[in-house]
DNA sequence: CTGTTAGCGCCTTCAT
DNA sequence: ATGAAGGCGCTAACAG
């Protein structure tokens, strides 16, 4: 039987309440007493039963997730993950709500952050747009002692406690490395389609890709980046133009969303097998395109992991506890059609 | 405040004990009473607090892991994961122990299973070797009501409740697909090094690889499989011979362990950059080789996930509960040097 | 068949 | 500064 608070109390010759005070280092204990208790804890090798502690506390954590609206399939998947976290809220003692904001709109996002602040939650998770007003709004939340984590896209220079997302420079590098090997000896330029250079994750991916795709010998021509604002029809038009302008195009890297447009343009032009397409995020559309061969490789961040990680970190920070950095690191998954996980994703 | 057993008792006009009986569908409740309680549960939208239930039960789960001994780095990593599960045993109410057996030795494994049975645990996780005596020993465990899951390598025809490992046919296919694209237009055969055809996972990987590497047009020559028994020096000798015999070798697929030998042979021959090497499992050795470029891609199964999944399933089965199949599916991770997760793995 | 009572390990008033 | 007692939500004897 592992030792309990009773055992420590007995060993140290004090009451349960004192043991509890020491355990949660609350004030009102003389140093000598504290030492006695700590010695007892050490000799008995006590480990606190977190479940029992939570039961006794019956504490709950009001958390707000701020997500971009629109038909971006990845973001909708992310929202679904937040929703299933809401379903678990009973057992996780958390009280999660969602605030939707227009995509790529810094001032709307800043307003939403202020609205979240008004509601006084224990923590806020936000898909950031990089802008000074957003940084400032995050600062106000932190002043009120509200924990903040950025989700998917980070916010440079802000006071956020943690970033729950992937290393996007590495993700871009991975895409570049795959592109280089997949196109092999074939000639012709490679195109890059981004969402917006306003968000950190897209800028980082571009940087990584550009560096890795031309590592080693061959210098392949990279076409100037075009921005499709994660909108399928805008992306479709852009890709259509690219295809028309470059009959010898060998590859397309789509580093943002709106992949439905990419897929449609490639298939309408009938050039899906000659062009190596690499994109991000596993959605029903991109999955189908990977299976059919229109897309050759997909990089993914596990939205479920990101949401769960954000919640863990937010809860820990709300309690003033620290987190295990390495454990919360989100992986960059590579999917080919052969190692596609089972549906639904 | 979410409803508790007290609320149900009040709503249904019965005592706590009766509510508990219904909740855990224990016998000794009239159908009418049971109905009343179930109606109350439904109308109040009751969700049981598992943590509190576990606390009250103060149940613990004795679990035995049977692992192959030897210097196979992946298996040692797996053992380390089991050990860190032992460290968590306090909080998870589990009591994990390890039984070591010689690798690829069916009769030793059968003996170990019988030994495990003698100890009467709630469940057993085993890295299987496929042989009738092993199947029989698993059958005996199941007869005693002991839950069994296979780990990493499955056991066809056995009564195991679950396989905690990857789809190895898909893993082989993934390797084949990468090999095909990475070697591109270059000529020359591809070699395959296995551990042993006695274990299911190696046979499955071979099957998947053979099918995928020659999908589409080009028919690349596959050399006959050689078996290195997951032993670094044996593997090194085999690869050395392969390199000598085939000056135009373009690729090597190592589908088992002993990759230290593969790496040494390639580097001693100075042919690491001209030959595309794809291997399995991220270990300190294979990681270094991926970074240096000797290995081009690594497929991995997350040993930590496998161990945690095995424990979850074993606990659930010991309680006669079901598991969510999809949730326990282990992914096939692809690592290039660009998306390598942070150390230590 | 059903109810009463006493915990599980911890935290939290309220006294002292 | 310390202790006693009650309760978190659930389960498990033991009585009726």
């Amino acid at each position: 039987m592992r030792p309990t608070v009773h055992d420590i109390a007995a060993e140290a010759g004090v009451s349960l309440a004192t043991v509890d005070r020491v355990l949660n280092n609350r004030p009102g204990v003389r140093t000598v007493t504290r030492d006695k208790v700590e010695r007892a804890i050490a000799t008995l090798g006590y480990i606190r039963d977190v479940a029992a502690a939570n039961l006794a506390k019956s504490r709950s954590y009001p958390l707000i997730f701020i997500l971009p609206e629109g038909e971006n399939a990845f973001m909708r998947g992310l929202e679904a993950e937040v929703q299933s976290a809401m379903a678990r809220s009973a057992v996780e003692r958390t009280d999660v709500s969602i605030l939707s904001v227009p995509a790529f709109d810094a001032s709307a996002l800043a307003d939403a952050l202020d609205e979240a602040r008004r509601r006084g939650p224990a923590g806020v998770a936000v898909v950031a747009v990089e802008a000074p007003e957003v940084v400032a709004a995050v600062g106000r939340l932190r002043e009120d002692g509200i924990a903040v984590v950025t989700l998917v896209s980070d916010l440079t220079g802000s006071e956020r406690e943690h970033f729950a997302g992937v290393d996007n420079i590495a993700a871009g590098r991975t895409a570049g490395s795959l592109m280089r090997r997949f196109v092999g000896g074939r000639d012709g330029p490679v195109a890059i389609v981004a969402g917006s250079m306003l968000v950190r994750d897209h800028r980082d991916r571009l940087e990584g890709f550009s560096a890795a795709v031309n590592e080693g010998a061959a210098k392949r021509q990279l076409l100037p980046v075009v921005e499709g604002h994660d909108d399928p029809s805008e992306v479709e038009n852009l890709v259509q133009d690219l295809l028309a302008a470059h009959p010898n195009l060998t590859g397309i890297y789509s580093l943002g969303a709106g992949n439905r447009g990419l897929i449609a343009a490639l298939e309408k032009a009938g050039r899906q097998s000659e062009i190596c397409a690499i994109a991000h995020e596993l959605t029903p559309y991109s999955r189908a395109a990977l299976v059919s061969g229109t897309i050759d490789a997909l990089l993914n961040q596990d939205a479920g992991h990101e949401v769960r990680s954000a919640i863990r970190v937010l809860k820990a920070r709300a309690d003033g506890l620290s987190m295990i950095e390495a454990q919360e690191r989100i992986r960059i998954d590579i999917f080919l059609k052969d190692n596609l996980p089972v549906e639904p994703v």
Side-chain angles (χ1 to χ4, degrees), chain A:
Chain A
M1 222 49 218
R2 66 193 256 230
T4 75
V5 277
H6 290 90
D7 301 316
I8 311 183
E11 172 82 15
V14 297
S15 77
L16 286 185
T18 301
V19 173
D20 185 74
R21 289 185 187 103
V22 174
L23 279 174
N24 299 288
N25 52 69
R26 269 188 283 267
V29 187
R30 272 184 313 173
T31 318
V32 262
T33 321
R34 183 173 295 272
D35 284 351
K36 266 196 306 190
V37 175
E38 265 156 5
R39 216 168 308 124
I41 292 177
T43 66
L44 294 187
Y46 169 81
I47 321 165
R48 145 224 243 107
D49 183 329
V50 193
N54 283 336
L55 175 58
K57 282 199 278 237
S58 65
R59 186 189 194 315
S60 102
Y61 302 80
L63 264 26
I64 300 181
F65 276 72
I66 305 182
L67 310 176
E69 47 198 34
E71 48 174 334
N72 179 332
F74 172 74
M75 290 302 172
R76 298 289 64 78
L78 191 71
E79 182 167 349
E81 290 295 343
V82 177
Q83 237 122 24
S84 69
M86 293 167 82
R88 288 194 306 272
S89 68
V91 13
E92 290 181 349
R93 301 181 180 287
T94 149
D95 175 19
V96 175
S97 53
I98 297 178
L99 234 44
S100 289
V101 294
F104 306 125
D105 184 336
S107 76
L109 181 54
D111 290 348
L113 286 162
D114 286 332
E115 165 61 17
R117 178 172 170 236
R118 235 165 279 127
R119 299 194 193 172
V124 171
V126 55
V127 178
V129 174
E130 287 208 319
E133 54 219 288
V134 178
V135 173
V138 167
R140 288 192 287 276
L141 282 166
R142 299 289 299 112
E143 270 167 29
D144 286 9
I146 299 172
V148 178
V149 315
T150 46
L151 194 63
V152 179
S153 193
D154 202 4
L155 186 55
T156 316
S158 73
E159 316 255 336
R160 94 284 188 284
E161 325 240 9
H162 177 71
F163 168 50
V166 301
D167 175 343
N168 282 297
I169 296 186
R173 250 199 329 261
T174 305
S177 176
L178 285 173
M179 181 67 79
R180 177 166 50 79
R181 301 190 196 229
F182 282 10
V183 297
R186 284 157 50 213
D187 279 331
V190 166
I192 303 173
V193 183
S196 162
M197 288 296 117
L198 274 181
V199 287
R200 181 86 209 176
D201 52 346
H202 290 195
R203 291 214 309 278
D204 284 347
R205 288 175 188 175
L206 174 61
E207 176 185 337
F209 182 84
S210 308
V213 74
N214 269 328
E215 213 164 62
K219 292 292 169 236
R220 184 170 302 276
Q221 186 200 349
L222 295 185
L223 267 23
V225 180
V226 296
E227 295 186 32
H229 303 100
D230 290 0
D231 178 73
S233 52
E234 204 176 332
V235 170
E236 180 168 356
N237 289 334
L238 290 171
V239 174
Q240 202 175 296
D241 294 347
L242 284 167
L243 291 174
H246 304 276
N248 64 337
L249 196 70
T250 62
I252 298 186
Y253 175 41
S254 166
L255 59 76
N259 285 321
R260 259 170 291 175
L262 167 72
I263 297 163
L266 281 169
E267 292 180 352
K268 282 180 189 164
R271 289 169 66 185
Q272 62 269 43
S273 56
E274 71 187 69
I275 291 178
C276 173
I278 297 181
H280 280 265
E281 317 316 353
L282 188 59
T283 68
Y285 308 105
S286 65
R287 162 189 284 272
L290 189 61
V291 170
S292 76
T294 298
I295 287 181
D296 294 83
L298 222 38
L299 304 193
N300 188 62
Q301 50 189 320
D302 188 317
H305 278 183
E306 289 176 332
V307 170
R308 290 189 290 273
S309 174
I311 291 176
R312 271 199 301 274
V313 173
L314 250 17
K315 284 171 74 173
R317 298 304 314 179
D319 286 339
L321 303 175
S322 62
M323 36 162 292
I324 308 150
E325 273 290 348
Q327 185 190 306
E328 302 300 349
R329 192 147 282 147
I330 311 291
R331 286 211 178 148
I332 300 159
D333 301 322
I334 302 175
F335 293 125
L336 307 183
K337 79 163 159 230
D338 307 285
N339 71 326
L340 219 36
V342 72
E343 298 192 77
V345 180

